[in-house]
Amino acid sequence: MSESSEAIEAAVFRRLVQHLDENRDVQNIDLMNLAGFCRNCLSKWYVAAAEERGEAVDYESARERVYGMPYSEWKAKFQGQASAEQQAAFAARQEGES
């Protein structure tokens, strides 16, 4: 992969994180139900990508990068209680992936 491609991909990642930060009302369960990934998934992928490159990034540091603040702070400020409908849609999606 060229340096240019990596720079573009890095810019896209930063824009995605910015977009999620600008849309904090979109809950992780909504993202999971619609797209099959959420902010926590991005954090896990960040850790995995670092490991693939021989770098150590712990999960909480990756979450802080994705959430823009410590996860516990984001959760207290922005995470709502999942509705019964959201939970049912999540369960149905999980069953469909099995």
Side-chain angles (χ1 to χ4, degrees), residues 6-26:
E6 285 190 24
I8 291 167
E9 289 174 0
V12 169
F13 173 78
R14 287 189 298 272
R15 182 62 186 103
L16 173 60
V17 169
Q18 178 185 350
H19 182 76
L20 291 171
D21 190 52
E22 292 168 354
N23 292 278
R24 292 175 175 164
D25 59 315
V26 177

Side-chain angles (χ1 to χ4, degrees), residues 60 63-64 67 69-79:
E60 289 308 314
R63 283 169 100 169
E64 190 165 339
Y67 284 90
M69 64 186 70
Y71 175 67
S72 59
E73 183 180 333
W74 189 93
K75 187 175 175 182
K77 288 182 177 182
F78 304 109
Q79 184 169 310

Side-chain angles (χ1 to χ4, degrees), residues 34-76:
L34 292 172
F37 78 97
C38 68
R39 293 169 181 90
N40 290 324
C41 296
L42 286 174
S43 302
K44 290 174 186 176
W45 299 340
Y46 192 98
V47 169
E51 287 176 356
E52 289 171 4
R53 287 155 182 78
E55 295 185 34
V57 175
D58 67 84
Y59 181 53
E60 289 308 314
S61 295
R63 283 169 100 169
E64 190 165 339
R65 172 70 180 100
V66 169
Y67 284 90
M69 64 186 70
Y71 175 67
S72 59
E73 183 180 333
W74 189 93
K75 187 175 175 182

